[in-house]
Amino acid sequence: MLQPIKNNFRIYFAITLYVIWVVIFSAVNYFKEKQHLYSELDQQLENAALTIPSILPKDLHRKDMSKKDLSEQQDLAITLALSEYTQRTDIVYLYTLILRNNKIFYTSSSASDAELESNTFAFNYFEYYDDAASDIPAMFEQRQSQIHESSDKWGDFRSILIPVNADDGSVYIVGADISISHIDTLLNEALYSNLIISALFLLFACPLIITLSLEPRRQVRLLAKKIARQTSKLLKSEAKLASIFEYSPIGIMHYDIKGVIKKTNKRFEEILLTERDTLIGFNMLERLENPELLNMVTQSLQGKVSVFEGPYTSISGQRFMYLHANFAPLYSNTGELEGGIGVFNDITEKQQSTEDLKKLSMVVEYSPESIFITNVSGIIEHVNPKFTDITGYTAAEVIGKKANVFRSSYTPDSVYQKLWATILSGQQWSGELQNSKKNGELFWAQVCVVPVTNDGAITHFIGIQVDVTTARLASQKIAYQATHDMLTGLINRYEFENLLAQCILSSQQDKTTHTLIFLDLDQFKIINDTCGHMAGDEMLCQLGLLLSKHIKPKDILARLGGDEFAILMMQCSLEQAQSTAHNILELIANYQFLWEKNIFSISASIGVAEINSQTKNTKEILICVDSACYAAKDLGRNRIHLYQLDDELLAKRDGEFRWVHELKYALNENRFELYAQPIVSLSDPTQKRIYEVLLRLRTRSGDIAPPGAFLPVAERYNLSEAIDRWVVDHTLIWMELHFKHLGDIDHLAINLSGASLGSSALLSHIMQQITLHHLPPSMIKFEITETAAISNLRDATLFIKTLCEFGCQFALDDFGSGLSSFAYLKNLPVTTLKIDGMFVKDILDDPIDEAMVKSINDIGHVMGMKTIAEFVENDAIRQRLKDMGVDFAQGYEIGRPVPIDDIL
């Protein structure tokens, strides 16, 4: 009998302990909940207060702020913005404070629910805080956050005050309040919850008390058997658990309440690349250097589950990784916190893949090229913003549709058939397509389509398209300008001589006869001198249009330069051409040119020559027809002269030879004169002066002839090299004579003709003269035209390279006028590009010309060259060139050519 009583006593004693434990547990749990609640509320206060600067206008707080800075409407908007935030949280008030003259003022504040419902708001900006706590002013000096509980006319609050630096360095305080009554309500809820749990615990214990009281012995026997069975199972489970723990694919560790590591598995050691002996006994609370990871461990030892993800260096310092770790508290069988479990995973590769994917996504989204991605059926799955910019279609409008949504009918089906055949075979396709924008506008696109494969199977296609419409138009314009006169739109001399050469070859092979008409206007200089070059240009345009309307469709009309025109009449006898020439002469004679209040009647002198199987080349036939034209001029103008081999008058009055003799005498008599025109920097006012040396001819009559009047003849009759030698020699002599006065001059630019570029004798002469006159080669720059360089590329490259290595500089003149400018540029070792003035003069009105200038300037800069713009005739053009980034400018706006002595 005594044994059951003794057992019952033990049961009652255990039940009593259970009740006491429930009470203690409830009390401890309540205080923990209270501590946790205050921690969460304080964090909520801090987060809310720190959110205020992002809600307020950026420049609201500054040292010189005053009450008149903010209107009531602006203050109301701020109040509503702060109030909207408080309505989503437990925060009662958000506000900001400033200290002025040892007084606290509100600069912003939210409104309470009652104020919002009644639609009555105070004007918060510079509102005096009359019952502010006495310790608030000191916070502006100490600049330390503070949490306290206080009472004022608005109620009882738990508040946080945080000093914040404004952009100009002044200090203001952001604050947030939570009602004390709200906190009490939350604490009471926690208390009631604990009481209910305790009551349930006691209620559930009642059946146990009765059962244990009635059957203590039976329970003891059953318990003993159960313990034996569970012990056996536990031993087996422990063995399995130990194996699972040790060989888990993720890293696991166990640490005690002091943060000391007690146990680790193999994967944990592999992740940290550290031996187990080093890890066991490691005190994380004392030795962890990563503050965020240390905080996670600390939270787990406070009963919270925490997660860490970020970069981490192993304990041994031997490995850097991107770590994902979970920390969970570990309780004993008595419910006491005895440590924690850490689960680690190395996600370095995953993170790298994620970052790479983000980078790739950023590349696609911010690519300057239009990109679209389709599936294997051509259905669009993604487009980037540039796609919308180019086509006008938004992502929503094209995703889910075929990629032919922007196809135009101008591209043949055969092109798309070849495209699909190429990409479906797994190969890349590229080419130009004419596509259509959403508004129907056509544009040229350089398209590249690339298949995307996975394990050898095509999954997607990536399409890249670049709008090349402007470049294509510019290319077409370059091609057009290379063969046409920019003023009249007629074929230019370069293209005309090509066609003339083909015509001569045809005569030599087929024995056919053609005729060449050369036309030179009489007294054209009068119009230029009396009305200006604009009037002369207009008259040439009108005359070109008039002539083109009165020739046969198969005949070829060209402007050779100045006031010279030529007509190539195909399969035409000399008699037929003579009849046509008479008609043209009469047409011009009847033509009257009206400019402002002036009316001009003009005439022409015409030379006619036959092209037959005996004609040798273009040079010969042009000399013949030019000689006939000048014979017509000398005979009284306004007439036609036919070229005949035995024409003594023609031989005597050959205008071409007159210039030849004039040039030869000028060389012997030193009747050439040096002029100079300034070139200035558009970006560097400290840049030393630069001048281009120009040539003028003093005729026997005392007139000054510009280079355009005699240089073409000099080139045709092989006198250009001698003239170039004269210019080089006299420029170097002048530089040596005045060298002490050239300290503020960077360099002089000297023009060379195409014939000189192939002269090894002139090359040697130049280097000898520079050395002889003791001049620095860097002060001398040679300018060559693009056409001359391209026509003799190999010799030109050698000539330029030799002088560059000697120390001289080179510029490519009239760049952009040739057909293959960009293709040949990279082969010429020049340091400066001179942009053709025909593009420069109209950049304010012609977007194509502006694009050409910008393109040439960009290409030059990419290749490390300086750029010079010619024909800068006014300040507006100069400013536009400066905005484009062109380096230098030359033209009448900068300075007119003057005798070279005047630049001293």
Side-chain angles (χ1 to χ4, degrees):
M1 296 293 296
L2 292 176
Q3 187 65 32
I5 293 174
K6 184 177 181 180
N7 290 336
N8 286 339
F9 176 77
R10 291 177 179 175
I11 292 171
Y12 296 142
F13 181 75
I15 292 173
T16 301
L17 289 178
Y18 172 79
V19 172
I20 294 172
W21 176 83
V22 169
V23 173
I24 294 173
F25 174 79
S26 300
V28 171
N29 193 49
Y30 170 76
F31 285 108
K32 284 185 177 180
E33 286 292 327
K34 181 178 180 181
Q35 182 183 8
H36 178 65
L37 177 63
Y38 270 93
S39 176
E40 287 186 343
L41 292 176
D42 290 346
Q43 184 63 49
Q44 188 175 2
L45 283 170
E46 182 179 358
N47 293 341
L50 293 177
T51 304
I52 295 176
S54 65
I55 299 175
L56 298 179
K58 184 176 181 181
D59 59 344
L60 182 65
H61 295 96
R62 57 186 186 277
K63 292 180 181 179
D64 59 347
M65 60 193 295
S66 63
K67 191 167 185 177
K68 63 182 181 180
D69 291 342
L70 206 66
S71 66
E72 290 188 3
Q73 290 78 6
Q74 292 173 319
D75 185 55
L76 175 60
I78 294 173
T79 300
L80 292 176
L82 293 174
S83 302
E84 182 182 356
Y85 181 90
T86 61
Q87 289 175 340
R88 300 195 305 266
T89 64
D90 295 330
I91 304 301
V92 179
Y93 285 105
L94 293 176
Y95 50 88
T96 53
L97 304 174
I98 59 171
L99 179 65
R100 293 294 184 275
N101 299 323
N102 292 324
K103 291 184 178 181
I104 305 298
F105 294 88
Y106 285 98
T107 56
S108 68
S109 174
S110 62
S112 65
D113 292 339
E115 291 171 334
L116 291 172
E117 291 175 0
S118 61
N119 199 25
T120 58
F121 309 106
F123 187 73
N124 300 313
Y125 191 68
F126 266 91
E127 180 184 4
Y128 176 52
Y129 189 5
D130 53 358
D131 59 345
S134 59
D135 56 346
I136 294 180
M139 293 180 63
F140 286 88
E141 294 294 328
Q142 299 171 358
R143 301 192 179 186
Q144 292 183 349
S145 303
Q146 180 177 329
I147 297 178
H148 65 275
E149 296 184 357
S150 60
S151 299
D152 53 26
K153 61 184 179 182
W154 287 287
D156 300 329
F157 302 102
R158 182 174 179 85
S159 309
I160 187 169
L161 300 174
I162 304 174
V164 175
N165 289 328
D167 291 340
D168 62 351
S170 62
V171 179
Y172 66 97
I173 289 177
V174 294
D177 296 341
I178 290 183
S179 173
I180 296 294
S181 61
H182 177 69
I183 297 174
D184 292 339
T185 301
L186 296 176
L187 288 174
N188 289 336
E189 289 176 357
L191 178 60
Y192 296 149
S193 175
N194 275 282
L195 291 176
I196 292 172
I197 293 173
S198 300
L200 291 174
F201 270 58
L202 294 176
L203 182 62
F204 291 149
C206 291
L208 180 63
I209 294 173
I210 296 172
T211 303
L212 292 176
S213 299
L214 295 176
E215 298 181 337
R217 292 183 179 181
R218 188 176 67 84
Q219 290 179 4
V220 170
R221 288 195 300 270
L222 293 175
L223 183 59
K225 293 179 181 179
K226 186 175 181 180
I227 289 174
R229 289 194 300 269
Q230 292 297 329
T231 300
S232 177
K233 291 181 180 180
L234 182 59
L235 291 174
K236 295 179 181 179
S237 297
E238 285 181 351
K240 293 179 181 179
L241 183 59
S243 178
I244 294 173
F245 177 86
E246 182 67 15
Y247 299 103
S248 173
I250 58 175
I252 305 174
M253 70 160 177
H254 166 229
Y255 50 94
D256 63 17
I257 192 66
K258 295 181 180 179
V260 177
I261 297 177
K262 294 298 184 181
K263 190 175 183 180
T264 66
N265 70 347
K266 286 186 176 182
R267 180 56 183 159
F268 183 77
E269 299 166 29
E270 294 172 354
I271 291 175
L272 298 185
L273 204 64
T274 307
E275 297 292 335
R276 185 169 299 190
D277 294 341
T278 304
L279 294 170
I280 302 300
F282 182 85
N283 191 320
M284 294 186 290
L285 296 181
E286 296 178 358
R287 298 175 62 185
L288 274 179
E289 296 181 359
N290 188 302
E292 187 177 355
L293 188 63
L294 176 61
N295 182 46
M296 298 297 103
V297 174
T298 303
Q299 288 188 28
S300 69
L301 293 176
Q302 295 173 354
K304 302 175 183 177
V305 176
S306 57
V307 179
F308 169 84
E309 183 170 306
Y312 180 69
T313 303
S314 66
I315 295 171
S316 62
Q318 298 179 6
R319 184 164 186 266
F320 174 83
M321 73 204 79
Y322 203 88
L323 189 68
H324 178 88
N326 293 277
F327 297 93
L330 185 65
Y331 295 94
S332 67
N333 55 1
T334 62
E336 296 180 0
L337 185 66
E338 65 176 16
I341 294 292
V343 179
F344 287 66
N345 200 3
D346 182 0
I347 59 171
T348 305
E349 293 184 2
K350 177 182 176 182
Q351 181 65 21
Q352 185 63 46
S353 298
T354 301
E355 290 179 357
D356 291 344
L357 189 59
K358 288 181 180 178
K359 291 177 184 177
L360 180 59
S361 178
M362 291 287 287
V363 168
V364 172
E365 290 304 303
Y366 294 100
S367 171
E369 299 174 347
S370 167
I371 298 176
F372 59 94
I373 301 174
T374 75
N375 61 17
V376 291
S377 300
I379 302 299
I380 297 176
E381 295 183 351
H382 180 79
V383 297
N384 70 344
K386 191 63 178 179
F387 176 91
T388 300
D389 293 343
I390 291 180
T391 66
Y393 289 101
T394 64
E397 290 173 328
V398 296
I399 289 178
K401 295 183 179 179
K402 281 274 191 179
N404 60 5
V405 66
F406 45 85
R407 171 184 172 180
S408 76
S409 59
Y410 291 91
T411 303
D413 291 340
S414 58
V415 174
Y416 291 100
Q417 290 170 0
K418 184 175 181 181
L419 184 156
W420 275 104
T422 302
I423 62 177
L424 288 175
S425 67
Q427 298 178 354
Q428 173 183 312
W429 182 91
S430 60
E432 283 192 6
L433 300 175
Q434 192 171 23
N435 289 334
S436 175
K437 298 183 179 182
K438 180 182 177 181
N439 60 7
E441 179 185 348
L442 297 177
F443 69 100
W444 283 98
Q446 180 66 42
V447 180
C448 177
V449 183
V450 181
V452 179
T453 60
N454 184 14
D455 294 332
I458 299 175
T459 60
H460 292 83
F461 296 112
I462 298 177
I464 304 170
Q465 62 176 349
V466 181
D467 188 345
V468 294
T469 305
T470 302
R472 191 179 180 93
L473 291 175
S475 177
Q476 291 173 350
K477 183 170 183 178
I478 291 173
Y480 179 84
Q481 290 172 343
T483 58
H484 288 75
D485 174 51
M486 296 296 294
L487 179 64
T488 62
L490 300 175
I491 291 175
N492 61 16
R493 186 184 194 100
Y494 175 80
E495 180 65 12
F496 184 77
E497 288 186 359
N498 287 336
L499 296 174
L500 182 59
Q502 296 174 21
C503 184
I504 293 172
L505 181 62
S506 170
S507 292
Q508 294 171 349
Q509 294 176 348
D510 304 334
K511 309 301 181 183
T512 54
T513 300
H514 314 287
T515 307
L516 179 61
I517 296 177
F518 184 83
L519 183 152
D520 187 280
L521 301 181
D522 299 328
Q523 304 299 333
F524 175 71
K525 188 174 182 294
I526 295 175
I527 298 176
N528 278 338
D529 292 343
T530 57
C531 299
H533 288 283
M534 289 183 63
D537 289 349
E538 176 61 25
M539 196 211 74
L540 290 174
C541 290
Q542 292 183 15
L543 189 60
L545 182 62
L546 185 66
L547 292 174
S548 64
K549 291 180 178 179
H550 289 81
I551 63 173
K552 297 177 181 179
K554 65 179 181 179
D555 295 339
I556 300 171
L557 172 65
R559 180 187 176 216
L560 302 186
D563 58 350
E564 298 175 346
F565 294 85
I567 303 173
L568 180 58
M569 305 185 69
M570 307 299 294
Q571 297 181 351
C572 176
S573 66
L574 194 61
E575 292 75 15
Q576 292 173 323
Q578 186 175 7
S579 174
T580 300
H582 279 291
N583 293 336
I584 291 175
L585 203 65
E586 184 179 355
L587 181 70
I588 296 174
N590 294 331
Y591 166 73
Q592 290 187 327
F593 175 63
L594 175 64
W595 182 262
E596 295 179 347
K597 297 180 180 180
N598 301 311
I599 299 177
F600 297 92
S601 295
I602 62 172
S603 63
S605 298
I606 298 178
V608 183
E610 184 180 76
I611 301 172
N612 52 44
S613 59
Q614 303 302 314
T615 305
K616 296 179 180 179
N617 51 47
T618 57
K619 183 176 181 180
E620 179 191 67
I621 192 64
L622 285 173
I623 292 174
C624 295
V625 75
D626 198 18
S627 299
C629 177
Y630 275 98
K633 277 187 180 294
D634 290 341
L635 289 172
R637 304 180 187 273
N638 192 28
R639 66 186 61 234
I640 300 166
H641 194 89
L642 302 180
Y643 178 82
Q644 302 289 342
L645 289 175
D646 54 355
D647 191 333
E648 295 181 3
L649 177 63
L650 192 62
K652 291 180 181 181
R653 302 185 178 279
D654 192 330
E656 192 82 39
F657 286 110
R658 287 192 300 105
W659 270 116
V660 171
H661 294 309
E662 181 75 28
L663 291 173
K664 288 181 179 180
Y665 282 119
L667 285 169
N668 293 329
E669 298 167 2
N670 274 333
R671 283 193 281 105
F672 288 106
E673 296 180 9
L674 297 179
Y675 275 57
Q677 185 176 23
I679 301 171
V680 301
S681 172
L682 294 177
S683 59
D684 184 8
T686 65
Q687 169 72 42
K688 288 186 177 181
R689 292 184 293 157
I690 302 172
Y691 289 93
E692 179 182 1
V693 177
L694 303 173
L695 186 64
R696 299 291 186 266
L697 171 62
R698 179 77 63 178
T699 64
R700 294 178 183 179
S701 61
D703 297 329
I704 291 290
F710 58 87
L711 285 184
V713 177
E715 290 184 1
R716 190 174 300 168
Y717 289 91
N718 300 320
L719 293 173
S720 56
E721 183 179 345
I723 294 175
D724 286 348
R725 186 184 290 259
W726 189 96
V727 174
V728 170
D729 290 348
H730 284 75
T731 301
L732 297 180
I733 292 171
W734 182 89
M735 290 179 68
E736 182 184 23
L737 182 64
H738 302 287
F739 189 74
K740 63 181 180 180
H741 302 298
L742 304 183
D744 62 338
I745 293 181
D746 187 81
H747 65 266
L748 297 181
I750 302 173
N751 289 281
L752 293 179
S753 64
S756 296
L757 296 180
S759 173
S760 57
L762 180 62
L763 177 62
S764 300
H765 179 77
I766 289 173
M767 293 189 290
Q768 290 172 0
Q769 290 300 306
I770 293 174
T771 304
L772 178 65
H773 293 293
H774 309 290
L775 296 172
S778 60
M779 285 192 67
I780 301 164
K781 176 185 285 184
F782 293 102
E783 291 189 6
I784 60 172
T785 65
E786 178 192 11
T787 305
I790 292 174
S791 62
N792 194 8
L793 184 61
R794 184 177 62 84
D795 291 339
T797 303
L798 178 60
F799 190 98
I800 296 170
K801 184 177 180 182
T802 303
L803 281 179
C804 285
E805 291 174 351
F806 183 69
C808 297
Q809 305 178 59
F810 262 87
L812 196 59
D813 199 5
D814 295 336
F815 186 80
S817 62
L819 177 61
S820 305
S821 303
F822 296 112
Y824 285 98
L825 178 58
K826 60 184 179 182
N827 296 317
L828 295 173
V830 297
T831 58
T832 307
L833 293 184
K834 296 191 75 173
I835 305 171
D836 195 320
M838 295 304 294
F839 298 125
V840 176
K841 70 176 185 176
D842 293 325
I843 61 171
L844 298 178
D845 304 310
D846 190 339
I848 299 295
D849 283 346
E850 183 179 20
M852 285 296 301
V853 173
K854 185 177 185 304
S855 176
I856 294 172
N857 183 61
D858 291 345
I859 289 291
H861 286 170
V862 167
M863 300 185 72
M865 300 177 185
K866 296 294 184 180
T867 54
I868 302 174
E870 300 174 308
F871 284 24
V872 181
E873 304 296 339
N874 56 61
D875 188 66
I877 293 177
R878 176 176 180 165
Q879 186 60 44
R880 179 66 62 86
L881 292 168
K882 181 178 180 181
D883 295 340
M884 286 184 184
V886 175
D887 300 307
F888 297 89
Q890 180 181 7
Y892 283 0
E893 165 63 18
I894 308 302
R896 293 176 178 268
V898 296
I900 194 168
D901 287 337
D902 291 355
I903 71 173
L904 293 174

